[in-house]
Amino acid sequence: MSHRFTLFTGQWADLPLEQVCRIAQDAGFDGLEIACWGDHFDVDKALSDPAYPDSRRRLLEKYGLKCWAVSSHLVGQAVCDAGINERHQAILPPRIWGDGDAEGVRQRAAARMKDTARAAAAFGADTVIGFTGSAIWHMVAMFPPATEATIERGHQDFADRWNPILDVFEAEGVRFAHEVHPSEIAYDYWTTDHALHAVDHRPGFGLNFAPSHLVWQDFDPAGFLYDFRDRIYHVDSKDARKRLDGRTGRLPWGDPRRGWGCVSASHGDVRWEDVFSMLRFIRYDGPVSVDWEDAAHLKAYDISPRSASFDAAFGLGH
Amino acid sequence: MSHRFTLFTGQWADLPLEQVCRIAQDAGFDGLEIACWGDHFDVDKALSDPAYPDSRRRLLEKYGLKCWAVSSHLVGQAVCDAGINERHQAILPPRIWGDGDAEGVRQRAAARMKDTARAAAAFGADTVIGFTGSAIWHMVAMFPPATEATIERGHQDFADRWNPILDVFEAEGVRFAHEVHPSEIAYDYWTTDHALHAVDHRPGFGLNFAPSHLVWQDFDPAGFLYDFRDRIYHVDSKDARKRLDGRTGRLPWGDPRRGWGCVSASHGDVRWEDVFSMLRFIRYDGPVSVDWEDAAHLKAYDISPRSASFDAAFGLGH
Amino acid sequence: MSHRFTLFTGQWADLPLEQVCRIAQDAGFDGLEIACWGDHFDVDKALSDPAYPDSRRRLLEKYGLKCWAVSSHLVGQAVCDAGINERHQAILPPRIWGDGDAEGVRQRAAARMKDTARAAAAFGADTVIGFTGSAIWHMVAMFPPATEATIERGHQDFADRWNPILDVFEAEGVRFAHEVHPSEIAYDYWTTDHALHAVDHRPGFGLNFAPSHLVWQDFDPAGFLYDFRDRIYHVDSKDARKRLDGRTGRLPWGDPRRGWGCVSASHGDVRWEDVFSMLRFIRYDGPVSVDWEDAAHLKAYDISPRSASFDAAFGLGH
Amino acid sequence: MSHRFTLFTGQWADLPLEQVCRIAQDAGFDGLEIACWGDHFDVDKALSDPAYPDSRRRLLEKYGLKCWAVSSHLVGQAVCDAGINERHQAILPPRIWGDGDAEGVRQRAAARMKDTARAAAAFGADTVIGFTGSAIWHMVAMFPPATEATIERGHQDFADRWNPILDVFEAEGVRFAHEVHPSEIAYDYWTTDHALHAVDHRPGFGLNFAPSHLVWQDFDPAGFLYDFRDRIYHVDSKDARKRLDGRTGRLPWGDPRRGWGCVSASHGDVRWEDVFSMLRFIRYDGPVSVDWEDAAHLKAYDISPRSASFDAAFGLGH
Amino acid sequence: MSHRFTLFTGQWADLPLEQVCRIAQDAGFDGLEIACWGDHFDVDKALSDPAYPDSRRRLLEKYGLKCWAVSSHLVGQAVCDAGINERHQAILPPRIWGDGDAEGVRQRAAARMKDTARAAAAFGADTVIGFTGSAIWHMVAMFPPATEATIERGHQDFADRWNPILDVFEAEGVRFAHEVHPSEIAYDYWTTDHALHAVDHRPGFGLNFAPSHLVWQDFDPAGFLYDFRDRIYHVDSKDARKRLDGRTGRLPWGDPRRGWGCVSASHGDVRWEDVFSMLRFIRYDGPVSVDWEDAAHLKAYDISPRSASFDAAFGLGH
Amino acid sequence: MSHRFTLFTGQWADLPLEQVCRIAQDAGFDGLEIACWGDHFDVDKALSDPAYPDSRRRLLEKYGLKCWAVSSHLVGQAVCDAGINERHQAILPPRIWGDGDAEGVRQRAAARMKDTARAAAAFGADTVIGFTGSAIWHMVAMFPPATEATIERGHQDFADRWNPILDVFEAEGVRFAHEVHPSEIAYDYWTTDHALHAVDHRPGFGLNFAPSHLVWQDFDPAGFLYDFRDRIYHVDSKDARKRLDGRTGRLPWGDPRRGWGCVSASHGDVRWEDVFSMLRFIRYDGPVSVDWEDAAHLKAYDISPRSASFDAAFGLGH
């Protein structure tokens, strides 16, 4: 196994980046997937202060770490969402939220995504991971039924709002990797197909493969990898598990009476050997990011600095 | 087996009621679950013309049919929904839609639900079936996450908007039977529990048991019946089936690449023997409504006038 | 398909035998499996009155029916049971129960089983179906654990009590067909193996194949048929179904909150096509008995007099 | 994860308690669940010699261990059992067995349970774990069927025999934690419901949660925890696994041709992540006892003294 | 449902075609899928006697029947097979077998396939159904492993031998519909993909959809239909069922100890509602052929002349 | 656990045997299963040079290793195979292949198997593991169907070719352990039964239990062990896993789009606890061989020299 493993810093946003670097080095990671929130990677600063990207990079190098991807899920969500409300306010930077006027929020979010591409390029990361939002999720999510025209309008809105962003991405040589997920324009196999079509399969738009969202929707993660193999731009090793007792529901998080939740890789229903076997087969050579749900426990782990540890965590020791 | 079987007229709204009566009599039904749309049961007329309910009833009697429940899903949906949009316009009567102003639509829908209770009472039906809508479905349906406060606010909104309606129901001696369904305030087992609590388990608010919506969410319909046995006010024999091929998604309807859809009773994943066994055990003695998805094919069926036919359809012949 | 189908009369014990004959003829049965209780077949009378067996046989012939097997489950249960209590009193003839003294009951039951063999021979039926009882079921049923010595003692008790009975059976040219069932000496695959060994595979002792008791114990009925193919002396087409909702228990009957129950053939978890395919393969040519759980509903059935009906009921139309 | 883990000493009854303490300390346990047999905790001595409980406690403290619960399964079984036979003799102390007269055994067992409560109080343990026995298990275990009156009588017997015992428990401030298990009055979900009702949900009577007995009966352990959350007095981390090959039976232990057996935690069919997730949710803060089936192998384990080891054993590392 | 149903005559090859026509008319079929063996459709005669095709067609018309497809599985098998042996001799016409020299047989079979296309065209059927054979099946069927070069060579052989045949088909306006099946060049999903590629997706080569061979290989028939939707040239409603008892094997036919076998439609593991739903979705408008495994039993069926019967047989009544 | 674990040297054939010995000693193995190819064990040399077997044995002893079984799969395959082709050439020693004439290859392979028995005896190994080949696999592998006569002829051929070989085995006191596997005369449960019968259950012919080939064919490995318990001569701990996504096929190896593949023990679908539990039950006391698919990764493993490691690898720590 020769995958490069990176630590996603989003769960550690309360710690200074240097401390996270130290932990990652001790744990044997090859690099970081840096979150564009907290102090870890400041998009504004990266654009206003030419020395900033370089200083961040040198900080990583000091700990033997690299960065191939930055994460910007939260801002991306606001680019297309129809309803902009307190849930968005809770996750957006104040400058993007502004006065909370929906269209204003969307446009500021779109502008920030362009800046994120520029900042990533300056920093030397070739991939930005995130969500797209969706103008129609609240309509397709159930009843009353959405018409085909409504669905089509949603994909057009997605294309209209993201194509200008993707123009910047492609100009900067950076790729956007959308995480297929309910609430987004592409939330399952066939809507992924639809969304890729909506932007004409342009190279700037691909996928962040996070199988946790696939397994509870009853998809086969390995088949998904194969069918969208030319658009797998990043891999995020999140897992999920279902409990079916005849009463469990779908929502919200963290309540074990409800049927499923995200868990750390290898504790859920994702068959990781199949995933890694397929990643090799489609010759995916990008990083595999580890998203520790409860970072506070990492220190309790017995993570040796040898890369074999990651193989073992995924049951890949042969 | 001594269940009374009724035919739901919603799928036949294009035919005059008398013709539907004739078909139902031929097919051996005991009565109708009449839809409050098309010309089948006109709520306005029932309230403005004292002779109307009686004439409708006599029409049924002419064909040996009774009516214990009327259906008003579409109007109920608008009572609480946060977003009122083209999907609602497509299913609401023009007078309820009016100028489409959201709060206006909600209030006109609420007033119509009160009138529906009055009309049902005048007609002699003791149950109105429908949806509640939800001020928070679009928030709980996925990401960004809704806070507990938001969820609580949604249930308060439900109680605030439906309690005055239920006051009329209880005054009229009529019960509202909510159909547990995604998009509604009560969409699964635990939200049903929550919603019943929000209206203090008042007797005017109960459930229309439609197992089709339960099975694709992985609930056990028979267990649901037992746990909510004192609130099962009506039974609707709809079925659903899943197809899992590793790629199938959840939405929208009618596209077989997508994982599940509603089908006529006994063609899906509902285990009807378990359902009927539990109905007997909890001593449910109300009607069982049959909702033929594609009414045009009914004539092709070999439905004898003997009630044994319904038993056979559900595999209940012993 | 050329199986002979018989109607088990036990569920109709409240009707005179002639009336049951008429129903069976109308329904197209080839014969009856007659219960040795009610007035259907009186063992005492068959032995004391030489004309009785013949008159019963002529009654059947009048309706074009035959009889290859008589049923005596209830008396057989008392032959070995350790505890003889109110449950036995409820199912035994008063003369067998007598004063209720346990060993007395067991011996009277054993004597009656010998008489049943004699009566069956006189009547011309070559098979008696029943239970064996068990001196150790209450010990092996759970905790505290039974020792191997206890288990061995139970099988020895079975052999000691049944060998003299089987001597009479073999002398009369009649076979005993034990129904594998919890509470009996042979209650699953391996105890069947053990019990056959305990009586040295003597030809007088075989099996009544009733798959209902096998499927809820997770056995494969078709594999059971194959492995015990030389001891399949009778087939009883009973079915059973499980409902698993995370809470369902095993006992008692008729409460749908509890996990499983007997149902009429083809309404349960038995895969009848596999069963009939294997019956053909092992060249079983005996009767297939139909045990209608709720005989009162038979008249509601659309049972044509053609034998094709039975094929259809088991999904065997090809 | 902050659960306290205790080692159940019952499997080590051949070793002096001090040696078990040493092993437990080395293995990083927080305490012991002490068995009231062997020399580990002598109920008689605890009542007759006031210094004994204290000396035992100091022994534990010497090894940094605590004790919150003592175990008395074997004596409890005899309190209600209808048949008292060689299986009981094999597991009871000679003084309880005495002359083996059934009612005498039952009464001596009941007296000993009262003493156990007193001894536990003296020792400072607030929970006694055990079985209740059942006057009707041998009747409900199968055929002939038990009537509702018989079942009711069994629960009355349970209440009559255990209420006086529970009076002592409550007076001593100690709780009895019944282990739901076939052979006991409460052996599944609904009989647990029934038994709690039979003693009016008095606080002295609760449950020892041992999921091994639940999974092979097809219950959902996590749902069981939620529904009986106010009566979960202790947790025993035993596991079980089924093997279904079409022939496997239910009994007895240790024979792999037979379908299931107890195994150490995480080697069976219990989904421990769901169990621990639910324990957190219902705010269970008692000890989690580890019952090593084959204690002789413990030394071969690589158990570090850090509590993280237990998390890892249950796959709870995040 | 407006599918045209045809009866496959291969199982009735012992009856004169006119008798089969009478049966098919009585049973309500729309037409026949005529086998090119027995006297049903004689390819030689069709080419040598210009009146023959017309007379056969008029025979069908006399009974209100049409023919859209002829079947030639047996000859097709010999076109590519590496080993030509007694198994082929048993199924080939003597003139094709000749002296049994392998290459001679292959070439005569290829010539016959060309003639079959010509005969079908003369007869007015636009589809010929059959097998391709495979030069490498015996190599890919297991061990020792076949190299990629061997596999490639097999597909090249297939293309080399079938392209000249397909030239005739395309010239005649007839399509060849290969039945995906072990032993053939295309035996599963990915080899179907490979084989279509090997002949450049030329329009003369498509598929006969027979889901029986897909389900026991764990394919999803509906997904197969969707992915190869432009090559579904014919549908054959065969079914198959598996029995898993821990011992069942794969071969040969008709022994129920062995894990699976072909059964008539709706008696197996194919989910026909999903299949028909997908056929509608991909707008398949060709015939659906019914292949009664045991034609002798057809008369026992209660097949009414109304087309609704076929819907019912597939559970499609709504 | 007291099983002896051996390392199969076949995957390390590129390394000198001494280096493999060093690795095996470091990893805590008890011995080697030596492959009769590469330089590991040279059959010719063992027969021509009396000192060779002894020197090999002393080499093992130097590293504390023993050898109870040698492996000769590749040569055995050629003894019966009907088609001898490039696939065989690729795996046979040049001297066995010779001019490639099929019958010549078969006879040289048979002679070599006799010599392998002699060499094993000289070396002190009492078991030779291998394949039998099959004269009919290519016929039974699918269509056209093989007749019973053909199948019988295949078993006769197997007996005719292997009995003389087994004569040598038995004379030398060595047993042949056939690995049940597609392509061989015994490839599933029932063909194993058939093959054992074909050679009259002679003691020289038994089985190498490799559950990887059983699980993907849906067999129960533990039941297989029990039923053939007197013929389990060796155990090879290979594993396999299936992935079912609706499209996955059966062949060839290494392509994850295709449904299954061999993996190292405990990474697949074999339930090892059941296997080891049954091995104990049937008192198997031979070695358990470990076949590392990708030996190059062994050094990355954290294999301590204590035998507990192997228990842990199979989840057998209790």
Side-chain angles (χ1 to χ4, degrees), chain F residues 160-187:
Chain F
D160 291 346
R161 292 183 185 273
W162 277 90
N163 270 327
I165 300 173
L166 297 172
D167 290 342
V168 177
F169 270 79
E170 291 176 0
E172 297 285 347
V174 177
R175 308 174 304 179
F176 183 72
H178 168 65
E179 187 167 322
V180 173
H181 183 282
S183 293
E184 315 308 325
I185 195 70
Y187 57 87

Side-chain angles (χ1 to χ4, degrees), chain D residues 191-214:
Chain D
T191 52
T192 299
D193 196 55
H194 199 162
L196 289 171
H197 181 76
V199 292
D200 277 331
H201 291 83
R202 60 186 296 178
F205 186 78
L207 304 171
N208 178 42
F209 175 76
S212 52
H213 311 311
L214 304 181

Side-chain angles (χ1 to χ4, degrees), chain C residues 1 189 220 222-223 226-227 271 273-274 277-278 281 306 308 315-318, chain E residues 241-243 245 247 254-257 263-264 267 269 292 294 297 300-302:
Chain C
M1 291 296 306
Y189 183 98
D220 170 47
Y226 181 76
D227 287 356
R271 303 189 74 179
E273 299 213 14
D274 293 338
S277 173
M278 188 59 86
F281 187 76
R306 296 182 306 141
L316 299 169
H318 57 102
Chain E
R241 59 186 285 128
K242 275 192 181 177
R243 183 174 68 91
D245 69 352
R247 295 183 289 177
D255 183 330
R257 292 173 303 165
V263 295
S264 290
H267 293 93
D269 300 328
W292 248 290
D294 188 352
H297 282 107
Y301 264 92
D302 194 13

